[in-house]
Amino acid sequence: MQIFGREDLAEALRGLGLAAGDGVFVHTALGRIGHVIGGPRGLIEALSDAVGPEGLIGMPGFSKDAYDPCELRDTGLDALAAERVRAQVPGFDPARSNVLENGQVPEAFRTWPGVVRSAHPTSSVLLLGPEAAQLAEPHDPSGWATGPATPWGRLRARAAMKILLIGVGWNRCSALHAAESLAGHRRLKLRRFKSGPGDAPWVTAPDVADDLDRLFPLVGAAWEAAGGVTFGKIGLAEARLTGYAELLEFATRWIDRRNAADGVPEIDDAGVLPR
């Protein structure tokens, strides 16, 4: 069995191309790295070592406890029973809403000292670093969850901002939702969620639809073919490192062309067809 500690991982991250002062948005499958001493903590500390105190670490903070379970699946409940279920939805709480669907590492990162979580009920961002607070907010729940006026969009302007995939493919790259949010032709989905605990209101907002592996693996492969990606290994896991803004610029154009060719209509930021 191969064992990797904080120093081993930090050395591998630097070898891949991370440097002091960089920003890095991370998606990872911890189990693919091998046995990591300290588990998620070991990797988070290695990332901190690689980018240093002036660097920025980001991870996805997607959570599901603001959604109506009756809209997520076919429950077969009648209207009265469905309303009873809906009344018990806890709603988004930045301190309690877990991000386990993103993996062990983001969930550990969520409660890490100094981490700032943006306030979106379903699509928040977790950030650690000197600029974290100013990049995290605002994150308007009534707008596009990954649009240009969100942390996902603002990270494009952060110098030396990168995306790191460890043991996962492009289908796990959340920033590609931000790329589609910038496109003219974008797949539309209306998301409805409870904006907070207690009697907080329900919100319906336009957003890009779930990709379901339709485009993201293809645009990632195209970006690799264009030479925009550095490859390496973190422990036993295959890793990819690329520029955040560079990927979004390429992916926005690619997705826009592909969606247009597939008959996806051009829509405005309100989520309606322009006249």
Side-chain angles (χ1 to χ4, degrees), residues 5-139:
R6 172 179 180 172
E7 294 179 9
D8 304 318
L9 297 175
E11 182 179 355
L13 290 164
R14 294 187 189 102
L16 188 62
L18 280 185
D22 282 354
V24 62
F25 201 93
V26 185
H27 297 80
T28 182
L30 185 70
R32 294 188 179 274
I33 296 173
H35 182 83
V36 176
I37 301 171
R41 174 182 173 183
L43 179 58
I44 294 168
E45 290 180 340
L47 288 162
S48 295
D49 291 343
V51 301
E54 297 305 312
L56 179 76
I57 301 171
M59 296 189 196
F62 296 162
S63 54
K64 289 186 173 179
D65 55 5
Y67 286 122
D68 178 357
C70 298
E71 294 180 0
L72 292 178
R73 58 186 61 83
D74 182 9
T75 61
L77 297 176
D78 61 32
L80 185 62
E83 189 55 38
R84 178 175 172 79
V85 167
R86 193 170 293 116
Q88 297 176 77
V89 171
F92 176 67
D93 184 331
R96 293 185 176 90
S97 296
N98 74 66
V99 300
L100 281 168
E101 68 175 286
N102 305 133
Q104 300 177 59
V105 178
E107 175 59 13
F109 189 63
R110 178 179 68 86
T111 58
W112 198 264
V115 165
V116 176
R117 183 177 192 176
S118 68
H120 197 280
T122 68
S123 306
S124 66
V125 172
L126 309 171
L127 297 171
L128 176 66
E131 313 128 287
Q134 68 189 66
L135 288 166
E137 298 302 339
H139 200 169

Side-chain angles (χ1 to χ4, degrees), residues 158-182:
R158 201 275 181 189
M161 190 70 203
K162 299 172 180 176
I163 292 172
L164 174 62
L165 307 180
I166 306 175
V168 298
W170 293 105
N171 60 332
R172 291 283 300 278
C173 182
S174 304
L176 292 175
H177 291 295
E180 185 161 8
S181 294
L182 294 165

Side-chain angles (χ1 to χ4, degrees), residues 117-272:
R117 183 177 192 176
S118 68
H120 197 280
T122 68
S123 306
S124 66
V125 172
L126 309 171
L127 297 171
L128 176 66
E131 313 128 287
Q134 68 189 66
L135 288 166
E137 298 302 339
H139 200 169
D140 182 5
S142 66
W144 293 76
T146 56
T150 71
W152 302 94
R154 287 190 290 275
L155 285 170
R156 291 178 297 157
R158 201 275 181 189
M161 190 70 203
K162 299 172 180 176
I163 292 172
L164 174 62
L165 307 180
I166 306 175
V168 298
W170 293 105
N171 60 332
R172 291 283 300 278
C173 182
S174 304
L176 292 175
H177 291 295
E180 185 161 8
S181 294
L182 294 165
H185 298 83
R186 42 189 154 167
R187 297 165 293 176
L188 176 66
K189 179 174 184 175
L190 294 178
R191 298 191 188 274
R192 183 172 179 270
F193 46 83
K194 189 176 178 183
S195 58
D199 295 327
W202 288 81
V203 173
T204 300
D207 198 4
V208 291
D210 300 325
D211 185 65
L212 303 176
D213 293 355
R214 176 175 167 260
L215 296 185
F216 291 0
L218 298 177
V219 70
W223 181 232
E224 290 178 8
V229 181
T230 300
F231 300 89
K233 281 200 167 184
I234 305 299
L236 301 177
E238 300 291 336
R240 297 172 173 89
L241 185 70
T242 190
Y244 190 101
E246 294 84 353
L247 172 63
L248 262 65
E249 182 180 357
F250 176 90
T252 297
R253 294 196 306 267
W254 192 99
I255 291 172
D256 189 52
R257 290 194 301 267
R258 178 59 181 265
N259 278 342
D262 289 346
V264 176
E266 186 173 12
I267 57 177
D268 65 18
D269 287 342
V272 298

